[in-house]
Every structure is written in structure tokens, then in C-alpha cells.
């Protein structure tokens, strides 16, 4: 058993930058690289791509992200753990082999699956959010259980260079290598809680190195244009030291880590994952050297008795239209334009929202009541049952060009199909994770 | 007139229709003041036109930070919201607008 391992996080969401993972792998001296690329809705969209073509359904950036990374992973003996399999980990694994073959690389990929529980649902299951049967939300398109370390560990026990999963709880991607390397027991909940703290801190990649933190006035962070992503040295007692590759942009600090520890955490005393209910309230940070932060404390209690399942459903079509006004009476003209649109389409599209970008589109109106922007942009958005209805919104905004008010410019229109997501629970024995090994 | 932004920073996160806001003092000496003055009720009142549900406050003495969990706050949540900022990521700075 090892005393210490180093895990880096090279991507924190599906659209993340490509090069930080390359730099981490080349210069970070990593044992493991994690790429976390799967948000709540991403998997439902991937499921739709898989339905159209059974060879698709993995992350759309997989090829772009991995092509240059594969030779570096092998050269530096760094194992990759990623959820880029999305709705189709097996097709993702096959695509990775194809990329390797094209570069004359020899490697093994383990595809972890079993998170797709769509066929096991009746539609009668109640949602956590509103306690309504999930089928009442709309036509169901996907259902994926958040798997935990138990799904990843058997794959780690093989000699796979890459482990590609579908839906897995984000911190589990980090916790699994810790358990595997340190021999932690799956019932040692206190130390699993500590490992989960470290996984949670790293899972959003650049958010821990100052990205989402930065404010040039109150919280300046250097060289954001070449922001480095973080790694953690994990010790066998569950403590960690967070750092990043020397010379990359961004920084490591206690203030940043505090923000990230609480990010998306509903209850810091009880952070639920499939592995443990972690306690973040006892975590401590200490800056021990330049760009080095020690993390200690944290803990956990017994894991939940159910799997959380993310269910995707067809929620209709969102239509949007925008147009800008500037100079004298810009706000008054934009307001008039919004009123005109409302009068013309409110009867057909009842779920309509009108905002003035530059005045009240992000924050409640009362917070900006004293500001007088030089230019504003009208935004009209509506949820519709059909695509034709949704198109009407942008068309009506565009028609303001000639029909007034004066000086409207830069009209844009957009329609998107909306996949909604609700959650439900399944018993542990209803989900059966498995894996398959591929090599070239 | 001072605002929360002068003494503290915040990060916004979302889980479905729930908005999560941290509040962390730049100087740990201001932590006790924040605990005494920035209550769940005060946050609810400040964001009354954004947050339709309950606000729960957590006090983290170990890292000297507050966490506010705001229910029914994101127009249905990121997947179906009509808001421009459907995640509510910009709302940390709405909290920091609070006059103190």
C-alpha cells in the first residue's frame, strides 16, 4: 500500500478548456488524472444522441480532449478516470481505442456501466423535488443512477490505463483511486468522508485555482488566461495538500478553498454521496507554502440506503429573441419594445419572461433601480409546446426593427429543445454496476 | 454607505431549484459580526423577489464562513428556467449588494 498518491483534475465540466489537462499530465507528476465532464442535463442530451446513433452518446469533446492526452498518459504512467462515457461508456471506450490505434499506442480501457436504469423505471416513482410521479413531468428520455466507488473499484483492480464511466457521483471519481491505493474499507466512513472532501474540492478543476473566484477589484488572481488546474497529494490518513503546476496561472489559497468547499453544498454537515454522508463542517485549511494548501479534518457517517437517479424528460421548446437600444431614452424604448411583444404574443405563449439586459436580467429589479445604463438589450424568452410556437418569439422580436420603437439594433433569435431533469431514488439492489475491458 | 461586498465574498451554486450562497469574510475578525447580523431572515428579505421559499443558514466556525440554502429560488432550476442566468451563478453578487 502506498503512503501518498497525487491526483489531478484536468476538466471540471463538459465545456472546459483542453490544455490544462495536458500540462497537468506532462508536468504534474500525477498518479491519476480525473476529467469530470458530466452535468445534470448533459447525460440526457447524450442519451438523445445515442438513440439517433448507437455508436454515439459519449462526451462530444472526447476526441478533442483525449487525442493529445493519450501519449502523455502512457509516457508519464498516469491513469485516467473520467465520466466522459456519458450515456454510452462502451462506445466511448471504443472511440478511445480508435484514437490510440491511429497513434500506434497500445493501451487498455475499462468501461464502467450500469448507471442507465431507464428500463427499470415504471414512471410511477415519485420525484424528490415535488413528490409527483416522474412520468407526469413529460415524456421520459433518460434515467441514470449516481454510481459510487463500488462501480469504479473493480475496474481499477485491472491493469486498465483508462477508466471511463457514465453517471458517477463526482467525488467518487477521486475517492475510488484513494480507496484502491490505500486499502481503505468501504465501511470506514470517517476516512471516506475525508477523501470525499478532497474530491469535492477538486472536481470543478479551475474553480479551485482561482477561476470562478477572481474579481480584479476585491479578489485579484494572476494570469487567468493560462489558468492552471489543481492537483492534490493525498496521504493514507486522508489528509491532503492542494497545489498546481509551477508557472501556470491562477493561485492556491485558503479563501478560494473556502468558497469551493461550500460550492453547491446544501447542508455542510451532511453531504450525500453514494459512498458516505460526509461532514464538511470540521474541515480546516492551512497555507503551508506558496501555492500549497493543507486540508485536514472532515469526516463521515454511513452511506445512504438508496441511489439518487437523475431522470431526463422532454420539457418543450424554449424560444428567445433579443434586441438592443442605446443612448437617449434607451431604457424607455426597450421597455416599450417589451410591452409590444407581450401584447402581441402573451395570449399564445403564457410562460413568457421579459428582461432588460443591463438593468434587470440577472438580479432582481430593485437592486438596480438607481442605475441608468447607457445601453440595454431587450430579452424575451418563452417556454412552448411546439417548435413553431417557440420560433414566433424570436420572429416577433426581430420584427421590431421596422415596426419600432426607434433605434433597435442587433436582433438575434434562438430556439432550443428543453430537456428537464428531476430526481428520484432507487434501492441499492435495483442497480447493478459492471465493467468491460477493451485493449489495443 | 457600506455593502456586504466591502467585507465579505461569496460564491453561488445550484442544486435543482435551490440556490446555495456562501458568505465568507475577507478578514476573519468580521466573522462574529456576520454571524450576529446576517441572518437567514435578512437574506430572505434582501432577495425576496428572487427567493420564493425558505432560507436556511449554516454557520461553519471551523473555516469561519456562512452558508445560505435558498429554496425555490431559481425559476424552476437550470434545466427549465427561462432566466438568462439559469444557474443563478451571478447571484453571489446580489447577496453582496446588501447594505450594512
Amino acid at each position: 500500500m502506498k503512503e501518498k498518491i497525487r491526483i489531478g483534475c484536468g476538466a471540471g465540466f463538459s465545456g472546459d478548456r483542453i490544455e490544462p489537462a495536458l500540462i497537468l499530465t506532462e508536468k504534474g507528476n500525477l498518479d491519476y488524472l480525473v476529467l469530470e465532464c458530466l452535468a445534470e442535463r448533459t447525460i440526457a442530451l447524450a442519451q438523445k444522441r445515442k438513440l439517433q446513433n448507437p455508436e454515439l452518446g459519449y462526451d462530444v469533446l472526447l476526441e478533442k480532449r483525449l487525442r493529445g492526452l493519450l501519449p502523455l498518459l502512457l509516457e508519464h504512467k498516469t491513469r485516467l478516470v473520467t465520466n466522459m462515457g456519458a450515456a454510452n461508456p462502451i462506445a466511448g471506450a471504443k472511440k478511445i481505442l480508435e484514437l490510440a490505434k491511429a497513434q500506434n499506442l497500445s493501451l487498455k480501457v475499462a468501461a464502467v456501466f450500469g448507471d442507465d436504469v431507464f428500463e427499470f423505471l415504471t414512471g410511477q416513482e415519485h420525484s424528490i423535488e415535488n413528490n409527483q410521479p416522474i412520468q407526469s413531468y413529460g415524456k421520459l428520455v433518460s434515467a441514470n443512477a449516481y454510481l459510487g466507488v463500488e462501480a469504479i473499484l473493480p475496474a481499477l483492480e485491472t491493469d486498465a490505463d483508462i477508466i471511463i464511466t457514465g453517471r458517477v457521483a463526482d467525488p467518487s471519481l477521486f475517492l475510488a483511486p484513494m480507496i484502491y491505493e490505500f486499502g481503505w474499507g468501504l465501511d470506514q466512513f470517517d476516512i471516506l468522508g475525508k477523501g470525499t472532501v478532497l474530491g469535492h474540492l477538486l472536481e470543478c478543476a479551475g474553480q479551485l485555482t482561482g477561476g470562478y473566484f477572481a474579481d480584479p477589484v476585491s479578489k485579484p488572481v494572476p494570469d487567468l488566461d493560462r489558468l492552471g488546474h489543481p492537483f492534490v497529494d493525498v496521504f493514507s490518513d486522508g489528509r491532503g495538500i492542494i497545489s498546481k503546476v509551477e508557472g501556470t496561472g491562477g493561485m492556491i489559497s485558503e479563501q478560494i478553498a473556502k468558497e469551493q468547499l461550500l460550492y453547491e453544498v446544501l447542508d455542510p454537515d451532511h453531504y450525500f454521496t453514494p459512498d458516505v454522508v460526509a461532514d464538511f463542517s470540521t474541515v480546516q485549511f492551512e497555507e503551508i507554502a506558496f501555492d500549497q494548501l493543507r486540508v485536514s479534518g472532515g469526516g463521515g457517517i454511513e452511506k445512504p440506503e438508496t441511489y439518487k437517479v437523475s431522470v431526463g424528460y422532454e420539457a418543450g421548446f424554449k424560444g428567445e429573441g433579443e434586441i438592443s437600444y442605446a443612448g437617449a431614452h434607451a431604457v424607455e424604448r426597450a421597455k416599450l419594445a417589451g410591452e409590444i411583444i407581450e401584447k402581441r404574443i402573451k395570449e399564445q405563449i403564457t410562460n413568457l419572461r421579459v428582461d432588460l439586459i443591463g438593468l434587470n436580467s440577472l438580479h432582481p429589479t430593485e437592486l438596480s433601480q438607481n442605475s441608468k445604463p447607457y445601453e440595454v438589450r431587450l430579452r424575451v424568452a418563452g417556454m412552448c409546446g411546439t417548435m413553431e410556437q417557440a420560433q414566433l418569439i424570436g420572429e416577433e422580436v426581430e420584427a421590431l426593427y421596422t415596426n419600432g420603437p426607434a433605434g433597435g439594433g442587433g436582433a438575434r433569435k434562438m430556439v432550443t429543445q428543453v430537456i428537464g431533469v428531476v430526481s428520484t431514488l432507487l434501492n441499492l439492489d435495483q442497480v447493478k454496476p459492471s465493467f468491460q475491458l477493451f485493449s489495443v | 454607505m457600506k455593502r456586504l461586498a466591502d467585507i465579505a465574498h461569496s460564491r453561488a451554486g445550484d442544486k435543482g431549484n435551490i440556490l446555495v450562497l456562501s458568505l465568507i469574510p475577507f478578514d476573519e475578525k468580521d466573522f462574529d459580526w456576520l454571524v450576529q447580523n446576517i441572518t437567514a431572515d435578512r437574506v430572505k428579505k434582501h432577495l425576496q423577489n428572487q427567493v420564493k421559499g425558505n432560507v436556511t443558514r449554516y454557520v461553519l466556525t471551523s473555516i469561519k464562513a456562512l452558508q445560505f440554502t435558498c429554496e425555490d429560488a431559481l425559476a424552476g432550476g437550470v434545466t427549465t428556467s427561462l432566466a438568462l442566468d439559469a444557474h443563478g451563478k451571478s447571484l453571489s453578487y446580489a447577496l453582496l449588494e446588501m447594505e450594512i
Side-chain angles (χ1 to χ4, degrees):
Chain A
M1 292 295 157
K2 288 185 181 161
E3 286 296 302
K4 185 193 93 173
I5 58 168
R6 179 172 288 186
I7 308 175
C9 185
F13 81 110
S14 59
D16 212 337
R17 291 176 185 161
I18 304 291
E19 89 279 357
L22 301 172
I23 294 168
L24 266 175
T25 309
E26 192 171 10
K27 299 180 177 165
N29 198 21
L30 304 181
D31 297 301
Y32 290 87
L33 175 71
V34 172
L35 300 174
E36 195 291 286
C37 298
L38 210 49
E40 266 201 326
R41 187 172 43 171
T42 328
I43 202 155
L45 297 171
Q47 193 70 38
K48 287 187 77 99
R49 291 195 300 278
K50 183 184 170 186
L51 285 174
Q52 284 163 5
N53 180 349
E55 300 301 309
L56 296 179
Y58 52 81
D59 186 286
V60 287
L61 288 180
L62 182 140
E63 292 171 75
K64 207 173 186 178
R65 222 178 261 296
L66 293 192
R67 186 174 285 120
L69 190 61
L70 292 181
L72 294 173
L73 291 169
L74 293 179
E75 183 189 342
H76 296 277
K77 297 188 170 51
T78 300
R79 294 179 94 181
L80 172 65
V81 184
T82 179
N83 54 13
M84 265 191 289
N88 202 347
I90 289 179
K94 288 178 179 168
K95 178 54 78 177
I96 294 171
L97 292 188
E98 202 182 300
L99 294 173
K101 219 169 171 179
Q103 300 180 67
N104 283 319
L105 301 171
S106 155
L107 55 75
K108 288 188 182 163
V109 184
V112 173
F113 49 90
D115 58 307
D116 186 344
V117 293
F118 192 64
E119 60 182 309
F120 305 131
L121 293 184
T122 62
Q124 299 296 330
E125 296 84 358
H126 283 215
S127 74
I128 299 174
E129 289 83 358
N130 307 85
N131 203 27
Q132 298 295 315
I134 53 175
Q135 65 186 11
S136 68
Y137 287 85
K139 187 184 171 220
L140 303 183
V141 293
S142 69
N144 294 79
Y146 280 82
L147 302 180
V149 294
E150 283 177 78
I152 306 173
L153 283 168
L156 282 171
E157 279 154 19
T158 71
D159 56 352
D161 304 289
I162 295 174
I163 289 114
I164 183 167
T165 74
R167 172 61 73 207
V168 165
D170 297 346
S172 307
L173 296 167
F174 298 83
L175 183 61
M178 299 178 206
I179 293 171
Y180 170 68
E181 297 284 1
F182 299 137
W184 294 345
L186 293 179
D187 56 355
Q188 288 179 276
F189 297 109
D190 200 57
I191 204 156
L192 298 188
K194 292 177 199 292
T196 296
V197 167
L198 297 174
H200 170 75
L201 285 169
L202 259 80
E203 73 182 52
C204 294
Q207 289 197 176
L208 186 59
T209 48
Y212 190 38
F213 173 87
D215 179 322
V217 177
S218 58
K219 301 184 287 179
V221 174
D223 302 318
L224 283 174
D225 57 301
R226 47 191 190 82
L227 185 71
H229 283 187
F231 61 72
V232 60
D233 284 333
V234 190
F235 297 87
S236 57
D237 64 359
R239 282 186 301 169
I241 296 174
I242 289 165
S243 190
K244 66 184 190 66
V245 173
E246 208 183 318
T248 57
M251 63 189 203
I252 302 287
S253 81
E254 188 180 350
Q255 294 291 114
I256 299 169
K258 284 181 180 180
E259 278 195 13
Q260 186 56 24
L261 183 73
L262 297 177
Y263 179 67
E264 292 182 341
V265 174
L266 294 179
D267 173 354
D269 304 333
H270 303 90
Y271 182 79
F272 281 71
T273 81
D275 311 314
V276 62
V277 178
D279 178 7
F280 289 4
S281 70
T282 55
V283 171
Q284 291 182 314
F285 299 117
E286 188 190 353
E287 293 176 7
I288 54 174
F290 177 70
D291 277 348
Q292 282 195 25
L293 183 76
R294 179 186 288 141
V295 185
S296 56
I301 55 171
E302 186 157 0
K303 68 178 181 181
E305 286 174 357
T306 46
Y307 279 112
K308 183 180 163 189
V309 177
S310 246
V311 180
Y313 65 94
E314 289 184 354
F317 295 85
K318 183 167 69 174
E320 291 168 272
E322 294 180 7
I323 190 166
S324 285
Y325 301 86
H329 331 123
V331 172
E332 288 81 357
R333 281 179 287 135
K335 275 186 180 161
L336 173 58
E339 286 161 16
I340 292 167
I341 300 286
E342 282 197 281
K343 278 184 186 162
R344 287 181 61 81
I345 63 176
K346 188 89 193 181
E347 274 182 28
Q348 295 169 69
I349 302 167
T350 50
N351 189 358
L352 199 66
R353 176 176 170 134
V354 178
D355 291 315
L356 297 187
I357 297 174
L359 193 70
N360 63 7
S361 65
L362 297 174
H363 290 179
T365 306
E366 65 272 17
L367 295 179
S368 62
Q369 57 197 353
N370 296 325
S371 76
K372 192 153 178 57
Y374 181 79
E375 49 183 64
V376 288
R377 186 162 178 80
L378 169 73
R379 174 178 183 269
V380 183
M383 198 66 82
C384 308
T386 67
M387 186 181 284
E388 289 69 33
Q389 241 187 348
Q391 281 165 342
L392 180 66
I393 296 170
E395 287 162 8
E396 282 289 338
V397 171
E398 188 179 40
L400 295 169
Y401 267 143
T402 55
N403 295 291
R412 298 276 186 280
K413 51 186 177 180
M414 190 160 60
V415 172
T416 28
Q417 189 180 3
V418 179
I419 303 290
V421 172
V422 285
S423 309
T424 190
L425 299 172
L426 277 181
N427 291 327
L428 293 183
D429 59 5
Q430 289 175 280
V431 181
K432 305 232 180 308
S434 183
F435 78 99
Q436 193 176 342
L437 199 58
F438 301 87
S439 60
V440 65
Chain B
M1 179 190 73
K2 272 176 93 170
R3 295 171 307 159
L4 262 185
D6 297 321
I7 62 164
H9 56 109
S10 170
R11 175 171 296 191
D14 67 303
K15 280 274 183 235
N17 200 16
I18 302 174
L19 167 69
V20 182
L21 297 168
S22 58
L23 186 65
I24 305 161
F26 290 111
D27 186 337
E28 291 194 343
K29 277 185 250 158
D30 289 326
F31 177 63
D32 290 340
W33 188 90
L34 290 176
V35 173
Q36 279 160 29
N37 291 279
I38 312 302
T39 58
D41 282 347
R42 194 158 167 194
V43 169
K44 165 88 183 169
K45 193 157 175 256
H46 176 65
L47 296 175
Q48 57 186 312
N49 288 325
Q50 182 75 39
V51 178
K52 309 294 180 196
N54 287 329
V55 175
T56 307
R57 186 181 82 162
Y58 297 90
V59 178
L60 288 102
T61 49
S62 63
I63 59 165
K64 298 213 176 344
L66 297 176
Q67 177 88 318
F68 297 92
T69 299
C70 311
E71 293 170 29
D72 196 2
L74 294 171
V78 62
T79 59
T80 55
S81 163
L82 286 178
L84 180 63
D85 174 16
H87 293 94
K89 286 186 181 281
S90 68
L91 291 170
S92 50
Y93 279 86
L95 174 63
L96 296 178
E97 280 295 301
M98 189 191 288
E99 290 176 20
I100 56 171

